[in-house]
Amino acid sequence: MNYGQFFNMMPEAVLMAVLVVVFLLDFILKNNNKKHSVLYVSTALLLVAQCVACAMAHPAEAFSGMYVSDASANIMKLVLTAGTLVVVVMSQSWLTLKEVANKEGEYYMLIISTLLGMYMMMSSGHFLLFFLGLEMASVPMACLVAFNKLRKESAEGAAKFVLTATFSSGVMLYGISMLYASVGTLYFKDAALMMSADAMTIMGLVFFFSGLGFKISLVPFHFWTADTYQGAPTAVTGYLSVVSKGAAAFTLMAILTKVFAPVVEYWEYLLYIVIVLSITIANLFALRQTELKRFMAFSSISQAGYIMLAVVGNSAAGMAALTYYVLVYVVANMAVFTVINVVETKGNGNTDMDCYNGLYKTNPKLAFLMTLALFSLAGIPPFAGMFSKFFVFMAAAQQGSFLAYLVVFIALVNTVVSLYYYLLIVKAMYIIPSDSPLPEFKSDCNSKLALAICTLGIAAFGICSCIYEWIAAAAQ
């Protein structure tokens, strides 16, 4: 065996080193204050080093094509690592709470293990490695959802996540077995060459898509999302909604375009149905929510539908649009969840929308940053969210068929609906009075840093065209 192949997996190797270092620090250190500071600093620095490793990684293969890394995958790893860094920074105020203060090391290890699984999933060239990466990402995520075991909602959300994840994995394995029976191989390249539109292949495609649809929380595979998002700690909810969803969406597009390109006419129709259902149903349910984390759950389902619009084009422009959309979605959504985390910490664990009434009068800076993030999620110019939606619409329209144009039109109409329910939060903060508003408080330094990073991204990613050009050049 040529062990030099591991050097072709530089992002994964560096992340594995991060995991080992954090484990040793958590195991060796005894003083809680020292443990907190060293773990935080080491994790932050090593995640920055991982960003550098992803940026410098070159396209490569390992283990006879089971592992395949290209420029687009490396950029997506960089985006997800940056999102994870924001999650780690914003988590610090929550990790100081009494019920989780002694489990900081475990939290970091679970986060890094999940990210490592996503890396393997995105760079897989074989269905076996893909499935191993998917499970490596899913199992620690269930532990993160149930991290605060003293809360009933957390345990309930984790139970629903585990049950749906197990069921979706079984469905996906059933689909992969059908594909193997049809083409006789699990390598992506070989499967694409031997694939034909027979009944076994189509059934395998449907089951595989259904299994991964659970991970992305596309309609009708979304029923676990609201309860899990509400029960999980807010930092974990943010991680689940952006980093996990971005990795699964990128992987789905990569496999559809690499493996199932010979039967594109079948999965395009499947995508049309799922996109329309996800955007429309999620928007309608979001209108009825009064709890902010459940509200953001349905918002994330709708955003997943918009992300899937990039897959419709089945082109390099679609891959670039998807990566750019995830990048913008990371900063906008994490800004919202950082504000939710701050308000929840200072407001006795309350995440109801009513507690945001009159927030502008007592905490105007938080209300302003929340408004910027919501406007970006809604796609209002000149924020980056408008450009990300424009690029996915253009990628889908490049398909050129009447159905593609119709799906884009429905998505445009739903953008107006999403603007309305995002403005409900803005209305609560600026217009609706409150008899007992939240008191004036100061955010901790880590939350301020996370908000600064996210706000800078919301403003800069829509102005600096070089960022999208860099992503588009990698997608080519």
Side-chain angles (χ1 to χ4, degrees), residues 142-221:
C143 299
L144 286 170
V145 174
F147 200 74
N148 190 352
K149 61 183 181 181
L150 300 179
R151 291 184 65 233
K152 174 186 175 183
E153 294 83 359
S154 185
E156 180 183 352
K160 291 185 178 180
F161 181 83
V162 169
L163 289 174
T164 54
T166 304
F167 178 72
S168 64
S169 297
V171 170
M172 185 183 298
L173 274 179
Y174 191 39
I176 292 174
S177 67
M178 287 184 173
L179 291 173
Y180 181 72
S182 177
V183 299
T185 181
L186 293 177
Y187 282 95
F188 290 171
K189 289 182 179 180
D190 297 338
L193 294 175
M194 301 177 184
M195 188 169 293
S196 59
D198 55 57
M200 186 74 75
T201 299
I202 302 305
M203 288 299 296
L205 167 63
V206 171
F207 280 109
F208 174 80
F209 184 90
S210 300
L212 206 50
F214 276 101
K215 310 299 181 183
I216 310 175
S217 62
L218 295 169
V219 175
F221 317 112

Side-chain angles (χ1 to χ4, degrees), residues 378-410:
I380 296 178
F383 304 107
M386 187 274 289
F387 297 98
S388 64
K389 280 188 168 58
F390 173 77
F391 287 130
V392 296
F393 290 156
M394 290 296 296
Q398 285 182 1
Q399 204 275 342
S401 67
F402 171 76
L403 282 177
Y405 290 135
L406 180 62
V407 171
V408 170
F409 175 75
I410 295 173

Side-chain angles (χ1 to χ4, degrees), residues 12-33:
E12 288 77 12
V14 174
L15 198 60
M16 192 67 204
V18 172
L19 183 60
V20 171
V21 169
V22 172
F23 171 77
L24 291 176
L25 286 173
D26 182 51
F27 181 74
I28 294 172
L29 297 178
K30 299 297 183 183
N31 187 293
N32 287 333
N33 294 327

Side-chain angles (χ1 to χ4, degrees), residues 80 175 203 236 378 391 431:
L80 299 184
M203 288 299 296
V236 175
F391 287 130
I431 298 176

